[in-house]
Amino acid sequence: MTKYSFILLEEETEGFLQHLQELGVVDITRSAKPVDQTSSSMLEEAARKKRAASILKRADWKDDPDREAIEAAVSEVTIEGDFASSAIEASEKIRELNERLAAMTRLQKARMPWGDFDMKAVKGLEEQGLKVRFYMVSKKAFQDSWAELYPLQVITDNGSNVWFVTVGSTDDYSFPVNECQAPEGSARDAEIEAGDIRKETIRQKAILQSLRRHIPDIQKEYDRILTGLDFYLAGAAGEPAAENRLNVMEGFAPAELDTKLKEEFDRMDVFYLAEKATEEDNPPIKLKNNWFARMFEVLTGMYGMPAYKEFDLTPILGPFFLLFFALCLGDAGYGLLLVIIGFVLKKKVKSMASLAPLVVTLGIGTFFIGILLNTFFGFSIVDQKFIPEWLKGCIRPLQGEVAGFPATMVLAIGVGIFNICVAMITKAFCYTHRFGLKNTLGTWGWTLLVVGGVILGGVALTGLLQSDVIKWIFIVLAIISGLGIYIFNTPGRNPLVNIGSGLWDTYNMATGLMGDTLSFIRLYALGLAGGMLGSTFNTLGGMLMDSCPVPGLNWLLFAIIFVIGHALNLALSCLGAFVHPLRLTFVEFFKNSGYEGSGKPYNPLSVKKEEII
């Protein structure tokens, strides 16, 4: 990155920023949040436009039971004022109307036992000194003799409860049971009011349907406001000088654009200084990766962009995350489904199209790992007669045991150890690049001890070297590592303090490495759980098929259990296969690699065009 410092006259600032916005490559240092009332109002207005567009995109009534009535009402509605305001207002009214309709439906159900009556007639009796009282008792508590003693009329008897009324004077009246609250109207009244609510709901839905054609206009307004907000924040970031007559600004741009930008700035006749950005400047970070690693940049961004001069770990993170995900999902059939889902996202879901390549890649990785793990939609691959023997020969080693433990569990632990070793090597090189070899001898000591120890352990297991040779290599390695860990971990400091610091690091390293390594057992556990659950659904479907004597129907029942069961298992397994590898990456890998992730992303001042979801 190249750092640019600009000194501008106050009246030149706006035109200069507009030109930078057209160039779209200079990241002017600015706040990511509103800085005053004006920017706050602009952000609120952008959020309102985004909400309105989202409401209208969801306002698709093709499956609505009142679809024909809504379409007929579209020609009758009149839209006035701001489109976004009208959409939000209509959406709020629909929500309120739905709540009222639900309440009225409950009220209608509660009034139904009282039948259809005229509330005005009831009040007319009260004016003549007669009061109608309402009662509801259980069938067992109701006594037929009450009709002989009181002017009583049974309204509804459903076999469990009895609803009835009595008519008597307003004074000195008694009855064996307590009266219940009189309904404020009949069920017919509630039905009429519910009908009016439905009509108004249809009208409001017609308003939203009519507004849908204005979604592009709202999108343009949203982009315009975001562009204006970015422009305003860039202007607000300038430091006033010379009694507010001058503005001093700072920006960053990729170094490969230096020639082009300098020509532009010279043509604009502005005063600027260009210098190579340093770590102290905290310049924005623009990642440069190949097509494969670029898919995983979203994961790096979730944790944090690398600090300036810090290594971008995305190229290392990508293959490991792919392997972790595939081991956790562990089913070749699910891998094929993910590939299909990825292509559907790319073609049908614009908002998710950027993630489609990652989904497809994860699906391909899961397919091949699933084959090695001997699982295809919960079925054992090696048990299928049509599978070639050479492929079964590749699969069988992972179905056995290693030193009494399942081979897949040993594989998960081995992957974890390899991941930690790569992280430690990366940390050693990254720290050397940033701080120099002299200040990273302690880091190199631990890297040589742990990584060298793992390599020697592997060599010992294979028997390539004699045990005495391995012993002396390890002793030499331990001496060299010990000097870096305990004596030279911080040059220039008291050796006794260095020894104490080394001992404390030894405790942390020993406990940390053990926990980090055991964390990778989750790769085995999740894959095992998903495979067993898929196999269980297959067994349930097979049992149901065997118990059904009707040909054709038995296969249909099996298919229903198979599809629903594996759909649920795929959803749960994908969630676990994403969250847990992400945790292993963020905690185990990033911690052991010394990754800070404190950088800020490259965000050049440009004309904003963001698709509203």
Side-chain angles (χ1 to χ4, degrees):
M1 282 286 175
T2 299
K3 175 185 175 182
Y4 292 92
S5 300
F6 306 97
I7 301 178
L8 306 161
L9 292 173
E10 179 66 30
E11 55 268 22
E12 295 176 343
T13 303
E14 183 173 349
F16 174 72
L17 291 176
Q18 286 177 349
H19 195 71
L20 286 186
Q21 209 164 39
E22 293 170 1
L23 289 174
V25 294
V26 181
D27 188 337
I28 291 291
T29 302
R30 57 200 185 275
S31 172
K33 298 179 181 179
V35 295
D36 54 20
Q37 184 61 42
T38 301
S39 55
S40 181
S41 299
M42 294 172 73
L43 186 62
E44 290 176 5
E45 181 66 13
R48 195 172 67 85
K49 298 289 185 184
K50 184 175 183 179
R51 181 187 174 198
S54 299
I55 289 171
L56 294 178
K57 287 185 177 182
R58 294 195 303 269
D60 186 359
W61 316 118
K62 63 181 180 182
D63 296 325
D64 194 289
D66 299 318
R67 179 177 60 85
E68 295 181 359
I70 293 170
E71 292 177 352
V74 168
S75 59
E76 302 176 2
V77 299
T78 302
I79 301 171
E80 298 178 353
D82 179 55
F83 297 139
S85 298
S86 299
I88 293 173
E89 183 179 349
S91 176
E92 290 293 328
K93 285 183 178 179
I94 291 173
R95 182 183 60 80
E96 294 174 3
L97 289 168
N98 287 336
E99 291 176 356
R100 285 177 56 196
L101 181 61
M104 196 55 60
T105 302
R106 291 193 298 268
L107 187 61
Q108 181 182 357
K109 185 177 180 181
R111 290 179 179 180
M112 193 67 70
W114 297 114
D116 192 11
F117 64 92
D118 187 355
M119 202 63 191
K120 292 182 179 179
V122 173
K123 291 182 179 179
L125 289 175
E126 291 182 358
E127 293 175 356
Q128 300 177 26
L130 297 174
K131 184 177 181 181
V132 179
R133 293 175 172 84
F134 296 79
Y135 298 91
M136 190 276 288
V137 296
S138 65
K139 178 70 174 179
K140 185 181 294 185
F142 182 79
Q143 299 180 19
D144 294 333
S145 60
W146 289 346
E148 300 175 0
L149 301 175
Y150 303 93
L152 179 149
Q153 177 64 50
V154 175
I155 307 299
T156 301
D157 183 352
N158 66 359
S160 300
N161 297 302
V162 179
W163 288 261
F164 62 93
V165 296
T166 63
V167 181
S169 62
T170 55
D171 301 322
D172 300 330
Y173 179 87
S174 62
F175 196 78
V177 296
N178 295 326
E179 64 180 293
C180 61
Q181 185 177 359
E184 297 180 0
S186 66
R188 177 62 180 163
D189 296 332
E191 183 181 358
I192 293 172
E193 189 169 349
D196 293 338
I197 294 173
R198 289 191 183 94
K199 289 180 182 178
E200 180 60 22
T201 302
I202 290 172
R203 194 179 80 86
Q204 295 300 328
K205 288 182 177 180
I207 290 175
L208 292 181
Q209 182 71 25
S210 179
L211 283 169
R212 279 174 62 86
R213 66 178 183 271
H214 296 293
I215 291 177
D217 299 322
I218 296 175
Q219 176 73 59
K220 289 179 181 177
E221 281 294 301
Y222 176 72
D223 291 337
R224 183 188 63 78
I225 294 170
L226 282 187
T227 299
L229 177 61
D230 206 30
F231 181 88
Y232 182 85
L233 291 175
E239 298 180 6
E243 297 182 354
N244 294 332
R245 290 286 299 159
L246 297 177
N247 261 338
V248 180
M249 294 186 174
E250 183 182 273
F252 298 88
E256 59 266 24
L257 300 175
D258 283 353
T259 303
K260 176 185 175 182
L261 288 176
K262 288 177 181 179
E263 289 176 357
E264 286 289 336
F265 297 150
D266 291 338
R267 191 178 301 116
M268 295 169 63
D269 196 24
V270 296
F271 182 82
Y272 69 93
L273 297 174
E275 56 184 323
K276 185 177 180 180
T278 63
E279 192 169 2
E280 290 73 22
D281 295 325
N282 190 27
I285 305 300
K286 182 180 181 182
L287 302 180
K288 295 181 181 179
N289 290 304
N290 57 30
W291 66 270
F292 178 80
R294 201 176 301 123
M295 293 185 294
F296 297 90
E297 286 180 356
V298 62
L299 304 180
T300 303
M302 290 172 66
Y303 186 87
M305 301 295 280
Y308 201 63
K309 289 191 175 181
E310 186 177 25
F311 287 176
D312 174 20
L313 299 186
T314 308
I316 304 174
L317 175 157
F320 275 117
F321 186 87
L322 175 60
L323 178 60
F324 296 166
F325 183 94
L327 287 172
C328 286
L329 197 54
D331 190 293
Y334 292 171
L336 289 179
L337 286 180
L338 282 183
V339 172
I340 296 171
I341 291 171
F343 282 114
V344 171
L345 290 177
K346 187 175 181 62
K347 296 291 184 182
K348 302 294 185 181
V349 187
K350 272 189 175 182
S351 60
M352 301 289 287
S354 60
L355 292 177
L358 177 60
V359 176
V360 172
T361 302
L362 293 176
I364 294 173
T366 302
F367 173 75
F368 287 107
I369 294 297
I371 290 177
L372 292 178
L373 296 180
N374 189 38
T375 308
F376 188 87
F377 286 115
F379 293 107
S380 173
I381 297 176
V382 296
D383 292 339
Q384 310 305 315
K385 295 181 180 179
F386 59 89
I387 301 297
E389 286 300 323
W390 67 265
L391 181 57
K392 291 182 180 180
C394 297
I395 297 173
R396 285 195 181 98
L398 286 177
Q399 309 310 307
E401 293 185 348
V402 176
F405 296 99
T408 47
M409 186 176 80
V410 176
L411 173 65
I413 295 294
V415 168
I417 293 173
F418 180 64
N419 178 264
I420 292 172
C421 288
V422 171
M424 295 185 72
I425 293 171
T426 303
K427 179 179 181 179
F429 279 103
C430 181
Y431 277 22
T432 302
H433 173 71
R434 295 181 64 187
F435 310 118
L437 180 61
K438 180 181 177 182
N439 296 313
T440 55
L441 292 177
T443 302
W444 275 109
W446 282 115
T447 303
L448 289 174
L449 182 63
V450 174
V451 177
V454 169
I455 294 174
L456 282 177
V459 171
L461 289 175
T462 58
L464 294 176
L465 293 176
Q466 296 180 354
S467 58
D468 289 340
V469 175
I470 292 176
K471 181 181 70 173
W472 281 106
I473 292 176
F474 183 77
I475 290 173
V476 172
L477 194 65
I479 292 172
I480 296 173
S481 300
L483 291 174
I485 294 170
Y486 298 105
I487 306 299
F488 303 113
N489 55 55
T490 306
R493 194 167 61 174
N494 189 319
L496 294 178
V497 176
N498 283 350
I499 292 173
S501 176
L503 291 173
W504 177 247
D505 286 344
T506 301
Y507 169 76
N508 291 329
M509 188 65 70
T511 55
L513 286 178
M514 180 64 69
D516 293 344
T517 302
L518 293 178
S519 289
F520 285 86
I521 293 180
R522 71 186 69 224
L523 300 177
Y524 161 73
L526 287 169
L528 179 65
M532 291 180 66
L533 192 56
S535 178
T536 300
F537 283 120
N538 294 342
T539 302
L540 289 174
M543 292 171 60
L544 196 60
M545 183 175 66
D546 294 338
S547 63
C548 180
V550 182
L553 179 60
N554 55 356
W555 280 102
L556 177 62
L557 294 175
F558 172 81
I560 292 173
I561 295 296
F562 183 86
V563 172
I564 295 177
H566 282 286
L568 291 173
N569 192 29
L570 176 63
L572 291 172
S573 297
C574 282
L575 180 62
F578 180 79
V579 172
H580 289 281
L582 203 63
R583 190 260 182 202
L584 290 173
T585 301
F586 286 178
V587 179
E588 274 71 28
F589 181 68
F590 280 169
K591 180 187 71 174
N592 287 296
S593 65
Y595 183 73
E596 295 178 10
S598 57
K600 58 181 180 180
Y602 173 62
N603 181 27
L605 186 64
S606 61
V607 177
K608 301 297 182 184
K609 288 189 177 296
E610 298 186 12
E611 184 69 24
I612 300 177
I613 299 175

